[in-house]
Each structure stands twice: as C-alpha cells, then as structure tokens.
Amino acid sequence: MKAMILAAGRGERLRPLTDHTPKPLIDVGGQPLIGHHLQALAEAGFEEVVINVAYLGEQIIAALGDGSRWGLRIVYSRETPGALDTGGGVCNALALLGEAPFALISADVFTDFDYAQLRDVPATARVHTVLVDNPEHHAAGDFGLSDGRLVDAEPRLTYAGVGVYTPASFAGRGVQRFPLVAVIREALAAGLASGEYHAGGWIDVGRPSALEAARAWAMRA
C-alpha cells in the first residue's frame, strides 16, 4: 500500500511562522512536523509516499529529498498554490498513487495513531476514516460511527485527517478544486464509508497554542 501526505496548504493561522517556512517543515521536537509522519509510516511498513506540494513546495522537496533518510521512496505531486484544495490535490496525484487503496494523511496533524492499522483495513468500503474526540475548536464534530460504519448522526466525532481511500472514490471528478469531505460524504451516502475511533493522542496543529502543545508532547516522548 502507498501513502499520500497532504502538504500543500498555506498555514494561514500560523502566520508569521509560515510566511517563510511551509507548515510541514515547522520544527516539532527536533524534526519537521511532516518528518514525524514519515518516520511513523516507515515504522508501519510503508515504502512509498506521495506528497503534494504547492506553497513554498520547493523548500519541502529540498528538505525531504527522495525519502531515503527514512527508508522511504518519496515522489512529489506539484500544484499551483491555492488551486486544488484537499480533494483536488488527491485527484492531481492519482497517476502516482496507482489503482490500489492508499493511506491518506494530513501533514497538519500530530498523532500517535499506528499507521500499520491502515494496512489492514478491509477493502469493503471506498473510504475508511479515523475519528477522534472533538477538539475544543471543533466541538460539533463531523461524523458518527455505528458498528464500524460512518454515519451522519449523533454523537459525532472529528475526522482525524487520517484514512484509507480507493481511487474509485475520486473517479469522474477531474483535477479541480474541491474539499476531501465531499468524497467522504458521497461514500457515506452510498453506504460505502467505514471508520474507526482512535482514543490516543491527536492534535490539529493549526494554531500557535496547538503547535506549542505538539512541541511539548514531542519533547516528553
């Protein structure tokens, strides 16, 4: 199974830190935020990772290189900054991802979720999502869970920015700007979305306070 890391965002809420440094390269505990994902993916047995880049993307490419530092092979999907959003970014990278289901991870999160679990997701759904408890800034949550199925019902949990997707779930959309949640909701409506709950650590590194929390956690670890 391949993995893709979404790393094309601007990181507006972390300005001025992100004015000259792309968010995935911000230091968290002695290595870039995205480096924690790469390390975890390598430890989970992944070998190839696709990373989409846009804003200050050449800095990301220069910093990560071919991935050999982590025992990985990294390939890059280049985008125009601000052009494609998360869903469109995946569509733009489909040729690099192949025909099999792939893990999809947001570079914006910091978590102890074991990515090896994504390699064992049954191929019975178009979309499989990892859900976490609702953070303070997103108290309403996103989706519910019922016997491993994703449902549009209470109580709602928050999408962790981690999941497994089939290329078929993006079929027919073309390379255009749209959010990933559109793909999730379409699969949910068709009864083809599954999910699991992660009770461990998870931080959406989207605000200065969250960045400091992630740094403190990384130092303790």
Side-chain angles (χ1 to χ4, degrees):
M1 175 185 279
K2 295 182 181 180
M4 179 174 180
I5 300 177
L6 297 170
R10 172 67 175 81
E12 291 281 357
R13 292 172 297 178
L14 285 178
R15 295 184 68 186
L17 282 177
T18 53
D19 283 345
H20 305 289
T21 301
K23 184 175 178 179
L25 294 187
I26 289 177
D27 182 84
V28 176
Q31 71 170 316
L33 176 59
I34 197 171
H36 292 277
H37 294 298
L38 294 172
Q39 180 179 334
L41 286 167
E43 291 173 352
F46 287 83
E47 297 179 353
E48 185 171 333
V49 179
V50 176
I51 300 176
N52 71 330
V53 295
Y55 174 70
L56 299 180
E58 295 306 316
Q59 286 191 35
I60 296 175
I61 294 171
L64 306 182
D66 63 3
S68 56
R69 184 186 331 168
W70 294 274
L72 298 167
R73 176 173 175 258
I74 296 177
V75 293
Y76 297 94
S77 175
R78 289 175 167 86
E79 302 173 14
T80 301
L84 297 177
D85 206 336
T86 48
V90 175
C91 283
N92 191 58
L94 284 178
L96 301 174
L97 291 165
E99 299 179 359
F102 56 90
L104 185 63
I105 298 160
S106 170
D108 294 352
V109 303
F110 189 71
T111 182
D112 59 7
F113 179 79
D114 183 1
Y115 292 144
Q117 294 176 220
L118 301 178
R119 295 171 56 85
D120 297 324
V121 172
T124 55
R126 286 186 185 175
V127 169
H128 179 82
T129 58
V130 177
L131 303 180
V132 294
D133 290 324
N134 300 327
E136 186 175 318
H137 68 272
H138 191 61
D142 298 308
F143 308 103
L145 273 177
S146 177
D147 296 324
R149 294 182 302 109
L150 206 64
V151 294
D152 189 11
E154 302 287 348
R156 297 180 190 276
L157 297 165
T158 291
Y159 176 53
V162 177
V164 175
Y165 293 76
T166 59
S169 60
F170 295 88
R173 294 181 181 272
V175 179
Q176 58 179 311
R177 180 179 175 83
F178 69 93
L180 183 65
V181 69
V183 171
I184 300 175
R185 291 200 174 280
E186 185 176 277
L188 186 158
L192 295 172
S194 60
E196 63 182 282
Y197 169 65
H198 174 56
W202 179 87
I203 298 174
D204 173 10
V205 188
R207 296 165 175 75
S209 59
L211 174 59
E212 291 311 308
R215 285 172 166 170
W217 178 9
M219 293 304 294
R220 291 194 302 270

